Amino acid sequence: GIQVEQSPPDLILQEGANSTLRCNFSDSVNNLQWFHQNPWGQLINLFYIPSGTKQNGRLSATTVATERYSLLYISSSQTTDSGVYFCAVVPGSGNTGKLIFGQGTTLQVKP
Amino acid sequence: DTAVSQTPKYLVTQMGNDKSIKCEQNLGHDTMYWYKQDSKKFLKIMFSYNNKELIINETVPNRFSPKSPDKAHLNLHINSLELGDSAVYFCASSNEARWEKLFFGSGTQLSVL
């Protein structure tokens, strides 16, 4: 089955710093989403981005489907950005709705 | 006006007991899911229902039985709970016809003692 690998596994930033999280996937996908799990466990959908670039405030995401990777950019990080960031994909040949999750990047933003 | 709500938030029980987790969505979505998150934060799909019909059933012990009375509700019943069932269970929903974003409930932390 498809492999979804996220890097780095852990990241510590000082407030105000910028960061880039990466998601590599081993096969073609027809759906890619980024999620943020906050320290209270809530999973928030950040982006649906099977290709191209999107921006939402300080966050932006780019997916290059032909090269099988996606990037999540966090600018001017804040302590509220702390948590785990997940990339999830639906394989191109897979069942619609069966999102395969990466192992996540744990981000800690220090004040 | 919570979009996907699940109850209870915490569930502590003894081995061998039977328990249920309830989920409701008010987004008008036609597809609902159960995901399991283990102690290492890994998320894996368990079940998916589309308009009350089971469409995804991963390799899950048959002690786990989902039930969808209508497309806005998906409950999870677990029989004969085991220590290894301890995890966080998330309900989620999406719109199959315009399959884009998945929306999660707040999770149920199940602890089996």
Side-chain angles (χ1 to χ4, degrees):
Chain A
I2 193 169
Q3 303 297 312
V4 182
E5 296 182 357
Q6 294 185 238
S7 60
D10 300 283
L11 186 58
I12 300 175
L13 297 176
Q14 209 63 38
E15 200 168 26
N18 303 328
S19 63
T20 301
L21 282 56
R22 187 177 180 102
C23 172
N24 292 333
F25 40 95
S26 59
D27 205 346
S28 62
V29 299
N30 59 33
N31 189 316
L32 188 147
Q33 301 182 35
W34 283 96
F35 296 87
H36 173 220
Q37 187 168 34
N38 65 25
W40 297 271
Q42 190 172 8
L43 279 158
I44 306 297
N45 194 303
L46 298 176
F47 294 103
Y48 161 73
I49 186 163
S51 64
T53 297
K54 288 186 178 179
Q55 180 152 10
N56 185 0
R58 296 181 296 103
L59 302 181
S60 64
T62 295
T63 297
V64 183
T66 53
E67 297 186 20
R68 299 181 183 170
Y69 72 88
S70 183
L71 302 173
L72 178 69
Y73 305 96
I74 305 174
S75 63
S76 304
S77 59
Q78 300 176 358
T79 56
T80 52
D81 295 330
S82 296
V84 184
Y85 290 81
F86 292 101
C87 166
V89 304
V90 175
S93 58
N95 289 329
T96 300
K98 185 178 175 181
L99 272 174
I100 308 297
F101 279 77
Q103 80 279 19
T105 292
T106 300
L107 173 64
Q108 183 183 0
V109 181
K110 294 187 171 182
Chain B
D1 57 345
T2 304
V4 183
S5 59
Q6 55 182 107
T7 56
K9 181 146 181 74
Y10 300 97
L11 193 49
V12 181
T13 188
Q14 299 288 329
M15 265 197 312
N17 284 350
D18 303 339
K19 290 293 179 184
S20 293
I21 306 171
K22 295 185 176 182
C23 179
E24 175 181 4
Q25 55 93 6
N26 63 6
L27 295 168
H29 290 163
D30 56 8
T31 306
M32 296 183 71
Y33 312 82
W34 280 109
Y35 279 81
K36 179 180 180 180
Q37 186 173 43
D38 63 22
S39 58
K40 295 184 179 179
K41 299 283 189 180
F42 183 66
L43 276 156
K44 186 174 180 183
I45 192 168
M46 300 172 68
F47 302 102
S48 170
Y49 270 76
N50 176 263
N51 283 318
K52 302 192 297 176
E53 181 182 347
L54 182 65
I55 57 171
I56 295 176
N57 185 352
E58 290 296 287
T59 308
V60 177
N62 57 16
R63 298 182 295 103
F64 291 77
S65 54
K67 284 187 172 51
S68 181
D70 55 62
K71 71 176 188 178
H73 295 83
L74 180 62
N75 303 322
L76 183 65
H77 189 74
I78 315 170
N79 290 327
S80 304
L81 278 155
E82 300 178 357
L83 292 175
D85 297 331
S86 296
V88 182
Y89 293 85
F90 285 95
C91 177
S93 73
S94 68
N95 189 333
E96 180 81 1
R98 291 182 62 241
W99 169 226
E100 294 181 352
K101 286 187 172 184
L102 187 67
F103 293 86
F104 280 94
S106 57
T108 296
Q109 185 165 342
L110 173 64
S111 299
V112 183
L113 308 178

